[in-house]
Amino acid sequence: MSKIQIKQLSKKFKKRNKYIEALDQIHLSIQEGEFVCLLGPSGCGKTTLLRILAGLEVPTTGEVNIQQEGSSKTPIQSMVFQENGVIPWLTVEENVAFGLKMRHLPSSYIKEQTEHYLRKVGLINFKKLYPKELSGGMKQRVSIARAFANDPEILLMDEPFAALDEQNKFILQEELLSIWQETKKTVLFITHSIDEALLLSDRILLMSAQPGKIVRDIPIRLERPRTIEQVRSDPEITNTFLEIWEHLQKEVKQTR
Ligand SMILES: Nc1ncnc2c1ncn2[C@@H]1O[C@H](COP(=O)(O)OP(=O)(O)OP(=O)(O)O)[C@@H](O)[C@H]1O
């Protein structure tokens, strides 16, 4: 049984008197615990697909099913955005605890869960600070800690590291993988970076330009833990990189 199942999904937006066909005939299933990256040219509907899974948009046709295993109180999904995912008037620890407090969970559990993930992302000594006192990388760590602390059925991540410098990006990617390996959550992750997708994914779903379709489903069979050096030097992965690169070049040229 798949954790996420999407059948014949399409999405059209009405803008003035015109329809924009954002997604066309998306059909896919993602297994429990898989780390799947969505890669495609700008405007191909990646965020729209994530927003549909988050219940923030309704598909025009088709259906989406997320298998629920926890209690009915378990959130279906947590989302991590590129930026501005933290609540400015709450401290680091209050941000991480926010979802758990909203569910009125016991305070001892909230404290334990919050501290566990603050430690995991290296923010335990910064828990009393407010977002304005944090760097961009630290804010993203807060968002990641909050997303995992919520213990959702699935995690949806929309280019969470896109605004970070290379060094911070590598550190956060490693931290994310370490938490993912511990929790074995199902993750759907949007990125524009082929290297990032190769480093993180069990599978890469490659999308066409608008209307977005999934044109390739590429398994990444590199052992974990992976390093960027391995990603860059493995001959099979190098071929996959080139294949994705050529596809993206072609799609981007077509849309221009
Ligand atoms: N609420 C909306 N109303 C009208 N059009 C929309 C809406 N949301 C998205 N679109 C359109 O749907 C298409 C897909 O947008 P989406 O943001 O999902 O693409 P994307 O692949 O995530 O792009 P990027 O990589 O640039 O972030 C675009 O043409 C966009 O303009």
Side-chain angles (χ1 to χ4, degrees):
M1 179 75 179
S2 309
K3 187 72 186 170
I4 304 175
Q5 191 136 44
I6 300 177
K7 286 187 188 159
Q8 310 300 344
L9 180 144
S10 70
K11 175 70 184 175
K12 285 182 186 164
F13 290 106
K14 194 171 183 197
K15 221 175 191 176
R16 296 185 195 99
N17 287 328
K18 278 200 324 195
Y19 278 101
I20 296 169
E21 207 177 349
L23 294 168
D24 183 31
Q25 295 290 309
I26 303 288
H27 198 73
L28 82 103
S29 73
I30 296 176
Q31 301 306 309
E32 171 97 57
E34 264 192 309
F35 199 122
V36 177
C37 278
L38 271 179
L39 201 55
S42 184
C44 74
K46 301 179 292 297
T47 298
T48 302
L49 185 57
L50 232 65
R51 286 175 56 80
I52 290 173
L53 282 165
L56 300 170
E57 296 281 359
V58 181
T60 308
T61 64
E63 52 182 271
V64 168
N65 185 29
I66 299 168
Q67 197 202 348
Q68 203 160 2
E69 282 183 3
S71 77
S72 57
K73 280 190 179 168
T74 305
I76 303 287
Q77 67 292 100
S78 286
M79 211 157 163
V80 179
F81 301 94
Q82 191 180 122
E83 286 178 296
N84 304 328
V86 288
I87 304 165
W89 56 87
L90 298 183
T91 63
V92 165
E93 68 177 343
E94 287 166 346
N95 261 287
V96 176
F98 185 75
L100 302 170
K101 278 200 176 144
M102 295 295 282
R103 280 152 61 204
H104 305 291
L105 292 165
S107 54
S108 57
Y109 174 78
I110 296 178
K111 189 170 180 342
E112 187 189 311
Q113 191 79 345
T114 303
E115 300 224 329
H116 176 74
Y117 284 103
L118 282 175
R119 239 176 231 112
K120 282 270 154 205
V121 298
L123 285 182
I124 195 73
N125 295 328
F126 303 92
K127 63 182 185 179
K128 299 289 179 205
L129 297 188
Y130 284 89
K132 65 171 190 269
E133 301 169 278
L134 306 177
S135 68
M138 289 162 95
K139 280 188 229 173
Q140 286 312 77
R141 288 197 168 94
V142 175
S143 295
I144 291 168
R146 181 176 55 202
F148 278 95
N150 263 333
D151 196 21
E153 297 284 348
I154 62 167
L155 262 129
L156 304 170
M157 308 186 92
D158 194 351
E159 297 188 64
F161 308 141
L164 302 181
D165 62 83
E166 285 292 296
Q167 294 308 318
N168 253 311
K169 195 184 287 190
F170 287 146
I171 296 167
L172 264 85
Q173 285 164 342
E174 274 189 5
E175 286 174 1
L176 171 64
L177 282 179
S178 145
I179 302 176
W180 169 74
Q181 270 168 329
E182 180 191 288
T183 58
K184 272 291 173 194
K185 287 280 168 205
T186 310
V187 180
L188 191 55
F189 187 107
I190 295 179
T191 179
H192 276 118
S193 158
I194 308 176
D195 276 337
E196 183 166 69
L198 292 169
L199 184 73
L200 299 177
S201 312
D202 291 320
R203 274 161 76 195
I204 296 178
L205 302 176
L206 195 54
M207 293 181 72
S208 66
Q210 201 178 77
K213 289 184 190 174
I214 292 169
V215 289
R216 289 286 316 273
D217 186 338
I218 307 171
I220 306 300
R221 295 195 188 89
L222 200 59
E223 268 183 35
R224 296 180 188 271
R226 300 171 185 166
T227 63
I228 198 71
E229 291 82 0
Q230 279 172 310
V231 169
R232 293 258 166 89
S233 60
D234 185 287
E236 194 185 321
I237 299 294
T238 306
N239 284 339
T240 309
F241 180 99
L242 289 173
E243 184 190 334
I244 298 173
W245 174 259
E246 279 161 18
H247 166 82
L248 291 177
Q249 292 282 7
K250 201 176 84 203
E251 295 290 319
V252 169
K253 274 188 194 142
Q254 262 175 23
T255 53
R256 288 187 172 209

